Amino acid sequence: MQYFSPESILNQSIIYYQGKPVGTLAAKDTSRKEASNYNQCFVRDFVSAAILFLIINQIDIVRNFLELTLKLQPQSHPSNSKQPARGLIPASFKVIALDDGEEYIKADYGDYAIGGVVPVDSCLWWIILLHAYVRATDDYAFTHQPQFQKGIRMITELCMAPRFDSYPGLFVLDGSCTIDRRMGIEGFPIEIQVLFYSALSGARELLTIAPENKLVLNQIDTRIVELGKFIHKQYWIDSDRLTEINRFRNDEYCSISLNEFNIYPASIVPYRLNEWLPPMGGYFAGNAGVSNLDIRFFSLGNLLSIVFELTTKEQSQAIMNLIEERWDDLIGEIPMKMCFPALEGKEYQLLTGCDPKNVPWSYHNGGNWPVLLWVLVAAAIKTNRILVAEKAIQIAQLRLEKDEYPEYYDGKSKLLIGREARLFQTWTVSGFLLAKELIRNPSSLKLFGSTYF
């Protein structure tokens, strides 16, 4: 096996457009010859690399990425349902080289995604990354340019548009975020709610006090407070909350009902969850809605809630307590599972549509994703769990290089490289490098955070 350092893999993945670095390829797996979209730069995939570049002062690639993706943002309302909505940031883009040496950018707004689902998280990650860029550089003049002010405004207007519900969360379809295949997360998945919260917080800081921004600023001020309260009230699970759920009354037709979503305890089996949940542990549920409390533990949403400072200090510690106490379930041989537990049996068939890639304990359905290492390390540092961060990096280091930095792993406890996993996956590499950089330079976590809840 030929050795490639993670730094060289990351550098070789950089995409250039008109001579400038503008992003990174999703993967450089030369063992896979079939056509795929891994030769594109995905917005969500690039985030960990972008944060690393900001920390090590390679600012230009992040600046170029933000400028390029902003130019790809549709400026007008679509004339038909096939066109992307005004304000949308694409899921990905690729550089097309013509025979005459000219280049152009081809963007994907979800057209080529599984099921054709629009990537809601791209818009949110774009604002979060722009906010991190400004915090790293103090270059507020960059974001105060009219095109950036308009871009931020269009994203927030798109996300806060009137809908057929009265909840402060952001409703999305299955497949609209990191979990980009059907997994039963349609509604208000925790990942999107946390990203939405952080994006609103970032937009509030980046938008200038100008007449054209006045309305959206007022909407953000109201929405972000309501959103924070909504997440804390409806999603948080600990022993006290389980006791409350176990004693829920149902079918209460009044505005002061404690069981606001009419959750039936039998759909959760609180006593079984209570056996798994450590006494001092807690976490945000995967989803909440009418007669639905999805009690699966989704790693990205919970870890980001700590990194973006949505949690209280007590909740942050409770989430880390849970991870430490249930290390074998959630992390095991490589950090860490996208969700736990996996959907199995009839539940797997119904909620995933018998998706052969999301079979139990694979891919999103209980598979292990090394990219989550950097978020785990960031949350551990924020909660002063340095030993957790160091242990996670150590076990990742034992396997990632040997396994050639795969996209994901299969298995409940003993892990195998994912059956369809690409090797030399860029966000696996950048997540590993970023995790190590955060340990060396914990003050860089100032790039994240909120001024609100």
Side-chain angles (χ1 to χ4, degrees), residues 236 280-282 313-323:
W236 184 250
M280 301 300 291
K313 290 182 178 180
E314 293 76 16
Q315 288 172 333
S316 296
Q317 293 298 328
I319 293 171
M320 296 308 297
N321 288 342
L322 172 64
I323 290 171

Side-chain angles (χ1 to χ4, degrees), residues 163-238:
R163 308 180 310 272
F164 285 96
D165 66 75
S166 58
Y167 305 122
L170 182 56
F171 184 92
V172 298
L173 297 175
D174 245 328
S176 60
C177 55
T178 305
I179 297 175
D180 59 5
R181 301 169 77 95
R182 182 174 163 189
M183 265 286 287
I185 63 167
E186 180 170 334
F188 300 92
I190 187 62
E191 176 186 330
I192 287 291
Q193 308 320 307
V194 174
L195 289 174
F196 186 32
Y197 174 89
S198 183
L200 289 179
S201 179
R204 186 63 182 85
E205 187 173 328
L206 296 173
L207 287 170
T208 60
I209 307 299
E212 61 269 25
N213 293 336
K214 184 177 180 180
L215 177 59
V216 74
L217 284 170
N218 290 337
Q219 291 175 327
I220 290 173
D221 285 339
T222 300
R223 187 69 166 268
I224 197 168
V225 173
E226 293 176 346
L227 177 61
K229 291 179 179 178
F230 172 73
I231 295 171
H232 279 248
K233 180 180 179 182
Q234 302 296 347
Y235 288 75
W236 184 250
I237 294 178
D238 58 15

Side-chain angles (χ1 to χ4, degrees), residues 1 27 32 77 131 169 187 200 242 253 273 299 321 340 371 400 429 448:
M1 181 181 68
R32 297 273 184 156
H77 293 289
H131 191 206
L200 289 179
L242 285 177
Y253 300 93
L273 178 57
S299 298
N321 288 342
F340 182 87
V371 67
L400 290 183
V429 173
F448 306 106

Side-chain angles (χ1 to χ4, degrees), residues 351-364:
L351 292 184
T352 75
C354 297
D355 186 347
K357 198 167 186 178
N358 268 332
V359 294
W361 309 110
S362 179
Y363 207 56
H364 302 132

